[in-house]
Amino acid sequence: MSATPLWRRAVAEGIGTGLLVTVVVGSGIAAAKLSPDDVGLQLLENSFATALGLAVLILMLGPVSGAHFNPVVSAADWWLGQRDGSGLSLRELATYIPAQVVGAIAGAILANLMYGESAVSWSTTDRSAPHLWIGETVATAGLILLIFSLVWSGRAAIAPAAVGAYIGAAYWFTSSTSFANPAVTIGRAFSDTFAGIAPSSVLGFVFFQLFGAIVGVGLVVVLYPKLGSAADVVVPHADTTDSGVAS
């Protein structure tokens, strides 16, 4: 368990998830303005900014909270940690998830305001279709498998680059453009822009993200049955004193 106070880790998770949504929504708005007649170019711009932004956020906040920024990552960390007493406790999980969701909503509002949009404009982009749900299942399962295979095999140091690269690639190889994150999905409903998702589509996406996480956890257990512990996902976070200086 990290010596960093739980409230500080929750703040880091809220900020990290919020800035991630700001990157996703903000770059989507910018892409739509810069390339109004080319959806493919818009997606390229959006995915490139998201991949780089996510890697930077993991590097910046990982030492504080582990840089989950995603309820299914936190839930998987808690679940897998039950086997050997590592990972998040139930209390920590119950603190991380609300912080991530609130942060995601705030991040969407910030992106809207930066581009002169209404603070809240509910998305009208319908994403309710079986092929999109399959895409979310694949995207989330792959994300969980990637993160825990890196951690359990002692390669967590490359997680910022690897996770950023995976999400950037998954924008293109999944039909859903790889939300793979319930908090981010909820946040994106607050912006009627290129990266938005209609509120009516959120529940379906979240359900299949949870299902994908279960699939991913199962694959981790099958492929890495004897390696490591679940703690310190996405990256190892250092013990800190109350002054916030790493010991």
Side-chain angles (χ1 to χ4, degrees), residues 127-201:
R127 300 180 189 266
S128 299
H131 69 281
L132 301 180
W133 299 333
I134 294 172
E136 278 303 285
T137 301
V138 171
T140 310
L143 178 63
I144 296 297
L145 177 58
L146 170 64
I147 290 171
F148 286 91
S149 66
L150 291 176
V151 172
W152 284 23
S153 59
R155 297 174 294 156
I158 66 171
V163 173
Y166 175 81
I167 292 298
Y171 259 82
W172 292 89
F173 75 74
T174 65
S175 57
S176 63
T177 66
S178 183
F179 286 46
N181 185 327
V184 169
T185 302
I186 292 169
R188 289 168 71 163
F190 284 73
S191 183
D192 190 18
T193 57
F194 177 78
I197 177 172
S200 60
S201 301

Side-chain angles (χ1 to χ4, degrees), residues 15 22 24 30 37 48-49 55 70 75 114 122 128 131 138 206 210 223:
I15 292 173
T22 299
V24 172
D37 301 317
F48 183 69
N70 188 333
M114 282 199 300
W122 298 109
S128 299
H131 69 281
V138 171
V206 170
L210 294 174
L223 296 174

